[in-house]
Amino acid sequence: MTRVNKKFYITTPIYYVNDKPHIGHAYTTVAADVLARWHKTKNDKVFFLTGTDEHGIKVAQAAAAAGIPEKEFVDEKAQTFKEAWQELNVSYDNFIRTTDSNHILDVEKTLQKLYDRGFIYKGDYEGLYCVGCEQYKTKDDLIEGKCAEHNKEPILMKEESYFFKLSQFKKTLEKKIYSDKIEIQPKERKNEILSFIKRGLKDISISRKNVSWGIPLPFDKSYTTYVWVDAFLSYLTGAGWLGKTDSYPEMWPPEVQLMSKDILRVHGTIWPGILLAFGFPLPKKIFVHGYFTVNNQKMSKSLGNVIWPEELIKKFGVDGSRYLLMSSLVSGQDSDISWGKLAEKYNADLANGLGNLVSRVAKLNEKFRIKKVKPAKKIKNIDKLFEEIKLKEILDEIWQQVAWANKYIEEKKLWELVKTDPKEGKKVLKNLISLISGIGSVIAPFMPETSEKIIEILKTGKTQQLFPRV
Ligand code: MSP
């Protein structure tokens, strides 16, 4: 039975535009794309949102350093994200920018309503602020006085501020997360956020006095909106919400929100807190994937070890890059990559693995011209693996079949067999073509162009090199 029109709304974080995208951003976006494409093949009604987070101190500082007015700077940088996703064949349905005028209008309307309903009040705030995170930090968050994520000392901020009454949602949030009403995956991340909430949730400051690059608070224009509140609302505005706090968009709520551990804490507290204040349904699942490190170090511009998607594409092609990204992170864990490891994997799995398999079989089939094959074997548990977002594990399963098929050719000495015993040779070839056509369709969400090429090769019998060695 085919499922029809099950709703599937998926989001990536909206990325800061202080710089162009690197492969960390590319990982999350391609992973969301793979999931969106998979759900499309299931006939689900898919909505895939990505975008850019363009306000706040961090972006304003980057614009100042570049000596370009903020708006010009963010326009330019947002474009680099759009281009990267286009090059990586990412099929998003909407790209939201927090400087879009409709987003700004919606944020203003929303904040006014939260204020009118008594969820926002004025008070004093003093705390240590990390500009890199755009977040206040507690002493416990710091390692030797520095932010663990950015390795920089936070600045002391003290100002009169508007607060959102997050503390009142502590119990509800705890319950919703504990009972998987918002399912936080993997389990260790769920436990981490639960123990954070258990330690107590404070009201949060949602305004900035000295940051001019932001959306002015509708009820007090001498302040701008805290960049995270602005950013969270993009998950609603990007899905066609019109800032109506009494109704949510048709696609609401997201089935999956993808991100890495760096931004889980805010997504597990402030974000659902805002939704609870509106009385909106909460996202069904937050999936936290691991981090890429490069040569065992955090990727950073100052270390000069950042890998940019365009470099990856230049070396490994679009599908080669998508494959390497998706097969390099074990579900929920960090992974170390390097140019050397990537090239090795590309040559082993793609040039010698899949590419070689397809070209050998197509070549041997030139004589037989087998087109009709029995339905190919499916990957066991593939639905479940997609449900659990085990993307590398799916690829590993597929590549076991690739390896098996290459071994099968060797063991049968197929190039000789087709001559010495054409009947048996043809049988073996049929099995292989059936397997390859199965692989060709199952890799489609990961490698859309390669999938089409394989199907084309099998149909026409015309060989082409899929993955030149690097
Ligand atoms: N603007 C905020 C998100 C707001 S969402 C309402 C932000 N932006 S970011 O540009 O810093 O992007 C963070 C995200 O990029 C991570 O959560 C993750 O999805 C991705 N990655 C950034 N670096 C990464 C790695 N080194 N490895 C894997 N993914 C990483 O936070």
Side-chain angles (χ1 to χ4, degrees):
M1 223 170 62
T2 40
R3 298 187 301 169
V4 182
N5 287 342
K6 198 173 159 239
K7 184 179 81 59
F8 185 75
Y9 175 23
I10 182 162
T11 67
T12 71
I14 55 166
Y15 306 110
Y16 288 126
V17 287
N18 57 314
D19 206 342
K20 59 183 187 173
H22 59 56
I23 55 153
H25 307 118
Y27 177 84
T28 319
T29 314
V30 172
D33 187 51
V34 170
L35 292 168
R37 285 176 185 270
W38 163 256
H39 281 270
K40 276 181 197 157
T41 67
K42 296 255 138 194
N43 272 337
D44 291 343
K45 193 173 168 197
V46 173
F47 187 73
F48 167 15
L49 179 73
T50 188
T52 39
D53 193 353
E54 305 188 1
H55 291 125
I57 312 178
K58 177 161 156 157
V59 171
Q61 283 181 350
I68 303 175
E70 286 100 342
K71 184 68 174 85
E72 230 174 87
F73 180 80
V74 298
D75 283 350
E76 195 185 287
K77 283 287 186 282
Q79 193 53 32
T80 65
F81 280 82
K82 285 189 174 168
E83 279 164 12
W85 305 158
Q86 195 179 356
E87 278 169 28
L88 278 166
N89 206 356
V90 171
S91 60
Y92 59 75
D93 295 292
N94 193 20
F95 188 104
I96 182 83
R97 297 181 53 191
T98 53
T99 53
D100 286 344
S101 54
N102 66 328
H103 171 82
I104 294 174
L105 259 167
D106 292 349
V107 170
E108 284 170 351
K109 276 197 233 166
T110 311
L111 288 174
Q112 185 64 52
K113 280 189 189 153
L114 285 178
Y115 185 69
D116 294 344
R117 289 181 188 179
F119 285 110
I120 292 175
Y121 66 93
K122 201 171 186 183
D124 279 316
Y125 202 89
E126 184 176 330
L128 295 168
Y129 195 79
C130 169
V131 173
C133 295
E134 291 277 18
Q135 282 175 49
Y136 279 106
K137 297 278 155 179
T138 64
K139 287 248 159 61
D140 293 346
D141 292 331
L142 306 177
I143 298 175
E144 290 172 3
K146 289 180 179 170
C147 164
E149 184 68 25
H150 294 94
N151 197 26
K152 271 201 185 131
E153 273 180 32
I155 50 174
L156 185 70
M157 291 243 276
K158 186 177 178 185
E159 62 183 27
E160 221 184 4
S161 175
Y162 286 91
F163 286 81
F164 171 63
K165 290 184 179 169
L166 181 62
S167 58
Q168 77 180 71
F169 298 112
K170 175 180 182 283
K171 279 257 143 56
T172 319
L173 272 177
E174 231 180 295
K175 258 197 235 152
K176 300 257 183 201
I177 295 175
Y178 182 76
S179 61
D180 287 335
K181 285 280 176 308
I182 324 181
E183 186 189 339
I184 297 182
Q185 282 282 4
K187 282 274 169 300
E188 311 84 74
R189 298 291 168 206
K190 169 179 168 177
N191 295 338
E192 183 185 304
I193 195 83
L194 273 176
S195 66
F196 175 74
I197 296 175
K198 275 202 186 101
R199 275 181 262 141
L201 269 193
K202 290 203 187 97
D203 292 345
I204 59 137
S205 155
I206 56 135
S207 64
R208 296 292 179 264
K209 185 110 199 146
N210 302 315
V211 183
S212 61
W213 182 239
I215 304 176
L217 288 184
F219 44 84
D220 187 344
K221 297 238 165 19
S222 62
Y223 288 86
T224 56
T225 308
Y226 174 39
V227 65
W228 271 101
V229 173
D230 174 358
F232 282 134
L233 293 172
S234 74
Y235 293 141
L236 283 157
T237 62
W241 188 51
L242 300 170
K244 294 183 192 150
T245 37
D246 41 4
S247 69
Y248 41 84
E250 194 197 334
M251 291 305 284
W252 200 258
E255 261 65 31
V256 180
Q257 300 208 276
L258 275 186
M259 65 198 69
S260 201
K261 56 189 176 183
D262 52 337
I263 56 176
L264 171 64
R265 191 184 284 182
V266 275
H267 275 86
T269 53
I270 306 176
W271 172 222
I274 295 173
L275 291 171
L276 287 173
F278 294 154
F280 282 7
L282 302 178
K284 291 196 186 143
K285 187 191 280 191
I286 289 182
F287 185 84
V288 185
H289 64 73
Y291 245 39
F292 279 132
T293 53
V294 177
N295 295 316
N296 293 312
Q297 276 174 316
K298 196 177 143 65
M299 248 193 305
S300 93
K301 256 189 150 176
S302 51
L303 288 173
N305 64 351
V306 181
I307 299 181
W308 308 102
E310 66 266 22
E311 292 177 303
L312 211 62
I313 295 171
K314 202 163 153 209
K315 183 144 187 187
F316 304 116
V318 176
D319 279 359
S321 303
R322 289 174 63 106
Y323 175 81
L324 291 173
L325 286 169
M326 293 302 101
S327 61
S328 295
L329 267 188
V330 179
S331 169
Q333 291 175 29
D334 292 348
S335 286
D336 189 56
I337 52 170
S338 65
W339 279 106
K341 281 192 218 166
L342 291 172
E344 213 175 283
K345 191 156 179 61
Y346 171 93
N347 283 331
D349 294 0
L350 299 179
N352 300 342
L354 181 63
N356 195 26
L357 172 67
V358 173
S359 67
R360 280 163 106 186
V361 169
K363 195 106 199 85
L364 290 167
N365 192 31
E366 271 171 5
K367 203 168 99 192
F368 295 94
R369 297 232 146 238
I370 302 166
K371 279 184 189 158
K372 285 214 172 108
V373 286
K374 66 174 179 347
K377 205 172 90 191
K378 289 259 159 57
I379 306 285
K380 249 202 314 182
N381 294 332
I382 193 153
D383 289 293
K384 187 164 173 274
L385 289 171
F386 265 112
E387 211 58 50
E388 292 170 356
I389 317 190
K390 296 203 160 138
L391 303 179
K392 173 182 165 46
E393 290 76 355
I394 295 172
L395 290 174
D396 287 349
E397 293 263 344
I398 302 173
W399 258 261
Q400 272 184 22
Q401 294 194 353
V402 172
W404 178 86
N406 272 326
K407 217 169 103 207
Y408 185 54
I409 297 177
E410 294 295 323
E411 278 172 6
K412 293 277 175 189
K413 293 203 167 67
L414 189 56
W415 58 98
E416 281 173 18
L417 193 66
V418 290
K419 288 181 199 145
T420 54
D421 185 351
K423 205 167 154 226
E424 180 61 17
K426 197 170 170 186
K427 211 174 99 193
V428 171
L429 206 52
K430 261 196 173 173
N431 289 341
L432 286 163
I433 292 175
S434 153
L435 190 86
I436 293 174
S437 86
I439 291 172
S441 67
V442 79
I443 61 167
F446 296 91
M447 307 165 91
E449 282 174 0
T450 306
S451 163
E452 274 177 24
K453 280 187 197 162
I454 292 178
I455 291 163
E456 187 65 17
I457 292 172
L458 293 181
K459 208 165 80 193
T460 61
K462 278 193 199 124
T463 3
Q464 55 169 300
Q465 192 180 33
L466 294 175
F467 301 103
R469 276 187 70 87
V470 297

